[in-house]
Amino acid sequence: MYLHSVEAVNFRGFKRLKSEFKEKFTILCGPNASGKSSILYAIAHAYSHYDSDESTLDSETAIKVEITNKENEREFIGRNRGSFESNGYRNSNLRNFSDDFFPGTSTLVRASSNNYKKINFFFIGPQRTIDYRSIQGMVKEPIVEDSQQKYCISSVKSLKCSVTPNIKQWIINRYFIIEKDWAEIERKNWTVLIEYLDRISDGNKIFKYLRTGKDLEPLFNLDEKEVHLEQLSSGYKSICSIIFSIVEWIESTNKDSDALIENATGVVFIDELELHLHPSWQIKIKNVLTDLFKSMQFVVTTHSPHIINDANKNELGILDNPDNSIIVNFLDKGLANWKVDYIFSDIMGFESNSENAIYETIQKVEDFISNKQYSLAIEEVDAYEKFSHVNDHLPRYLKNKIYRLMEVEGVDNND
């Protein structure tokens, strides 16, 4: 199961949209409103025939997604021109399921309503919290085919966050079944997941699952304190929501050994991966996901320089918008040694406050030096130094330069 590319025309206000994807991890980044989420929505609309009113679509809209499906067949799925009709803003309807050629190409696009049978896509929107729910007991879990269809149907709504998985119910179900003889897959996955939790802890804090009691309330050890699931911080709830929901999706949409964490294949899409995560988590979240889900492909969007900083060669896709289109250009090198300010300016397209402050200070100091106003130049450096980091060498460099020039000019330091 592998996602190769997506292409769309007349989609969500963009004339054209096009992106390829990498084998393990693709990080999409760019300025606000550059179309990062639109790429995920295009794939969701090609996969699911529900909720077409969540995007601006009309009779000229066409979407083409290239995949290698679960049966190792390479194919194109999507929607062709004439598939949608628009009755006004946020009032689009899917009109037909006709296989046809993508506009301007000889590529035949399959427009099936049964994509879930051959494709495993899972969409996670930006709202990742765990609200309190009273659990009354174990709930029967649906058969695989029903779960596959459910996840396909809810793809667009999952991105929009109007559908979120019931993490707590899944944990309670595991409490009841993992000791059963027939629950070998669930038991193995639960063991892997619980042992892995401590690796996602924030800094040097302890984070472990403790138990589920008679009241059916899961308890965690957070830095030697017992904390209920819903009382975890936003960051812990966000990362638990991501990881637990992926495992739940894997188990519910696969059979036999394919439902094991280490074997499961498919594509996980996460919009705004960094939300609610402390920078220490943002730095390692990519490795957490790829280490735990070794056979899974991930496509994520982000504004975080820490996540961008962790991109390997050809994993970072930078969005550009020529002629109201979305084009994704991949960087042919990693960014591990880039400073955050460079990522802001060169990758995300704006100067950081610190970069601007440095530039303005240097310019003012140089102007004062040019006019031989050395005392004003020193005052400017002193003003900058009050708000600079203790390891910032710029103040010392500028003052040494000023003092050398004063010495050459024969100007007293006290003048």
Side-chain angles (χ1 to χ4, degrees):
M1 176 73 237
Y2 178 55
L3 171 68
H4 298 278
S5 65
V6 62
E7 187 172 356
V9 294
N10 196 38
F11 182 78
R12 288 171 67 99
F14 289 100
K15 184 183 298 184
R16 182 170 288 274
L17 172 160
K18 188 174 184 179
S19 179
E20 62 181 25
F21 302 98
K22 304 308 172 181
E23 183 177 357
K24 288 295 295 180
F25 216 94
T26 299
I27 301 172
L28 300 173
C29 71
N32 282 325
S34 58
K36 298 180 293 296
S37 297
S38 291
I39 291 175
L40 304 192
Y41 272 99
I43 298 167
H45 281 297
Y47 179 50
S48 172
H49 63 283
Y50 285 83
D51 304 307
S52 54
D53 58 342
E54 294 294 340
S55 297
T56 303
L57 311 170
D58 60 29
S59 60
E60 294 300 307
T61 298
I63 312 168
K64 175 184 71 174
V65 175
E66 183 180 6
I67 62 164
T68 296
N69 63 33
K70 290 190 290 186
E71 298 175 3
N72 206 31
E73 301 168 335
R74 194 145 177 167
E75 64 173 336
F76 295 90
I77 64 167
R79 304 286 176 246
N80 295 290
R81 280 182 173 162
S83 296
F84 300 100
E85 62 179 358
S86 175
N87 299 308
Y89 175 62
R90 296 181 65 84
N91 190 10
S92 301
N93 298 312
L94 186 60
R95 190 164 56 186
N96 61 60
F97 290 99
S98 61
D99 293 353
D100 202 351
F101 295 102
F102 190 77
T105 73
S106 58
T107 303
L108 184 65
V109 176
R110 181 173 64 82
S112 173
S113 61
N114 298 317
N115 285 324
Y116 64 89
K117 294 182 178 180
K118 292 185 176 182
I119 303 168
N120 245 8
F121 284 171
F122 182 40
F123 296 86
I124 301 176
Q127 184 174 332
R128 295 182 287 272
T129 188
I130 302 174
D131 296 325
Y132 178 76
R133 301 187 189 193
S134 178
I135 304 299
Q136 302 304 311
M138 181 178 172
V139 173
K140 182 180 179 181
E141 296 180 358
I143 62 173
V144 167
E145 289 76 13
D146 287 348
S147 289
Q148 291 171 338
Q149 187 174 23
K150 179 194 77 172
Y151 276 106
C152 179
I153 288 172
S154 64
S155 295
V156 176
K157 285 193 180 299
S158 294
L159 273 179
K160 185 176 176 282
C161 301
S162 53
V163 173
T164 56
N166 190 344
I167 301 301
K168 188 175 183 179
Q169 183 66 66
W170 182 82
I171 294 174
I172 299 306
N173 277 14
R174 296 302 163 278
Y175 166 75
F176 282 105
I177 72 173
I178 57 173
E179 298 303 325
K180 305 295 184 184
D181 292 341
W182 48 264
E184 182 181 358
I185 297 294
E186 291 85 353
R187 185 164 52 252
K188 286 183 178 180
N189 282 343
W190 181 257
T191 301
V192 170
L193 181 59
I194 297 309
E195 290 179 352
Y196 203 83
L197 280 185
D198 198 42
R199 291 189 57 184
I200 69 174
S201 60
D202 184 7
N204 296 318
K205 290 184 177 181
I206 297 170
F207 183 53
K208 297 180 182 294
Y209 168 78
L210 284 178
R211 63 186 178 276
T212 298
K214 287 183 179 180
D215 58 359
L216 302 184
E217 297 294 345
L219 278 172
F220 293 81
N221 176 356
L222 180 55
D223 210 20
E224 304 298 350
K225 293 182 292 186
E226 291 190 0
V227 182
H228 287 93
L229 175 65
E230 298 89 354
Q231 293 179 342
L232 293 170
S233 70
S234 296
Y236 278 100
K237 286 194 287 188
S238 177
I239 203 163
C240 284
S241 177
I242 291 172
I243 291 175
F244 279 70
S245 63
I246 292 174
V247 177
E248 193 276 339
W249 164 70
I250 287 172
E251 289 186 352
S252 65
T253 58
N254 292 280
K255 296 179 180 179
D256 302 323
S257 62
D258 288 340
L260 288 171
I261 289 174
E262 63 265 31
N263 295 342
T265 62
V267 188
V268 177
F269 304 88
I270 308 177
D271 199 12
E272 299 189 49
L273 176 59
E274 75 278 6
L275 283 190
H276 307 299
L277 298 184
H278 186 273
S280 64
W281 271 331
Q282 295 177 28
I283 289 170
K284 64 182 180 181
I285 183 63
K286 173 175 171 280
N287 289 331
V288 166
L289 294 174
T290 54
D291 286 350
L292 182 57
F293 306 106
K294 299 183 186 300
S295 301
M296 203 65 67
Q297 182 183 9
F298 288 89
V299 178
V300 306
T301 71
T302 189
H303 293 104
S304 167
H306 304 294
I307 293 174
I308 292 170
N309 196 235
D310 202 33
N312 294 324
K313 180 180 178 181
N314 291 322
E315 285 184 342
L316 183 66
I318 305 169
L319 274 68
D320 191 19
N321 301 121
D323 193 28
N324 195 33
S325 296
I326 302 173
I327 303 297
V328 181
N329 301 303
F330 283 86
L331 208 60
D332 62 354
K333 58 183 176 181
L335 302 178
N337 296 325
W338 281 42
K339 291 182 178 180
V340 170
D341 285 338
Y342 298 152
I343 293 175
F344 281 145
S345 60
D346 291 12
I347 304 300
M348 304 181 75
F350 69 94
E351 300 292 336
S352 69
N353 289 338
S354 61
E355 194 74 17
N356 287 332
I358 291 170
Y359 176 78
E360 290 175 7
T361 297
I362 292 173
Q363 283 296 111
K364 288 180 180 178
V365 169
E366 292 292 347
D367 288 342
F368 286 136
I369 289 175
S370 296
N371 294 320
K372 299 185 178 181
Q373 296 173 300
Y374 300 116
S375 60
L376 293 177
I378 293 172
E379 288 178 10
E380 184 65 32
V381 176
D382 287 339
Y384 171 86
E385 192 171 16
K386 287 180 181 179
F387 300 98
S388 66
H389 191 274
V390 65
N391 292 326
D392 188 344
H393 300 299
L394 181 63
R396 184 174 60 185
Y397 165 77
L398 290 174
K399 284 186 178 180
N400 286 341
K401 179 177 180 179
I402 295 167
Y403 291 144
R404 285 198 304 272
L405 288 171
M406 291 173 69
E407 184 179 355
V408 170
E409 294 287 337
V411 179
D412 192 324
N413 284 357
N414 297 319
D415 287 354

